[in-house]
């Protein structure tokens, strides 16, 4: 198990499929905080619960002007069906081909299993990783760590007008 990218590192930009005919780039979110939630697979019980929690907490994330994005190696078609079934109101991106290429850049790919780690990143408005955390694959990390990081990021931005990276376990 490797390390996920640490706070203070520029978040690698990417463009992935949101639907079979639409893409989203990390750069599209520049100017607002982004929450990247890498997860193993759409239809596993833990992942379904994790994405449901983020869907429930979406209004809290939006209070910080933050956009949450789920990322796994599932296809755009699989994501589309999963999002419709679970009534998710945030994008799920397909790190499908080449499989796991974005997850690898973030240190969030499980080579032996062929899936993403359960890893979270809060990226600041300038595209710098502010907070990162890898959860055990069988454990739903919830939203508390993300909300704490968003709160600290907002306070730091208000305090001195610029962001500084910080790390916290979850």
């Amino acid at each position: 198990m490797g390390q996920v990218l640490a706070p203070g590192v520029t978040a690698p930009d990417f463009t992935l499929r949101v639907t079979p005919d639409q893409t989203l780039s990390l750069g599209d979110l520049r100017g607002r905080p982004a929450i990247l939630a890498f997860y193993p697979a759409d239809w596993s019980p833990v992942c379904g619960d994790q994405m449901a929690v983020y869907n429930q907490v979406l209004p809290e994330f939006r209070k910080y002007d933050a956009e949450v994005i789920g990322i796994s190696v599932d296809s755009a078609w699989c994501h589309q069906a999963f999002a419709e079934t679970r009534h998710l109101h945030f994008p799920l991106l397909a790190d499908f081909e080449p499989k796991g290429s974005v997850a690898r850049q973030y240190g969030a790919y499980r080579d032996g299993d062929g899936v993403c780690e359960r890893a979270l990143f809060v990226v600041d408005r300038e595209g710098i990783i502010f907070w990162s955390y890898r959860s055990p694959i069988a454990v739903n990390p919830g939203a508390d760590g993300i909300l704490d990081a968003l709160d600290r990021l907002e306070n730091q931005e208000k305090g001195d007008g610029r962001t500084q990276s910080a790390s916290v376990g979850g």
Side-chain angles (χ1 to χ4, degrees), residues 5-170:
L5 288 181
V9 173
T10 299
D13 198 7
F14 56 79
T15 300
L16 293 172
R17 294 218 170 271
V18 157
T19 67
D21 59 351
Q22 293 179 315
T23 61
L24 179 71
S25 298
L26 181 60
D28 295 340
L29 302 175
R30 189 64 50 95
R32 59 190 296 201
I35 302 157
L36 307 181
F38 288 88
Y39 64 100
D42 285 339
W43 301 98
S44 77
V46 176
C47 295
D49 292 348
Q50 180 184 3
M51 295 303 113
V53 165
Y54 299 156
N55 202 50
Q56 238 178 349
V57 179
L58 204 53
E60 293 301 312
F61 293 155
R62 298 244 164 99
K63 286 180 183 175
Y64 295 97
D65 193 32
E67 181 69 48
V68 63
I69 297 169
I71 303 173
S72 84
V73 298
D74 291 313
S75 72
W77 292 276
C78 187
H79 282 328
Q80 195 170 14
F82 180 67
E84 286 173 11
T85 300
R86 297 302 294 248
H87 307 288
L88 300 180
H89 300 288
F90 58 89
L92 300 179
L93 303 186
D95 193 6
F96 186 69
E97 187 58 42
K99 186 177 183 182
S101 64
V102 172
R104 290 175 205 276
Q105 291 179 58
Y106 281 81
Y109 188 76
R110 295 175 68 94
D111 281 308
D113 298 324
V115 298
C116 294
E117 293 282 358
R118 196 172 303 286
L120 302 171
F121 299 87
V122 171
V123 179
D124 72 14
R125 296 173 192 280
E126 284 79 43
I128 306 298
I129 295 172
F130 180 78
W131 175 82
S132 63
Y133 175 69
R134 186 181 64 218
S135 177
I137 201 155
V139 176
N140 180 346
D144 290 346
I146 297 168
L147 290 168
D148 178 63
L150 289 170
D151 193 54
R152 289 184 296 112
L153 176 61
E154 181 179 74
N155 288 334
Q156 207 161 66
E157 287 174 341
K158 286 179 181 176
D160 63 10
R162 56 188 176 88
T163 60
Q164 297 172 350
S165 298
S167 178
V168 106

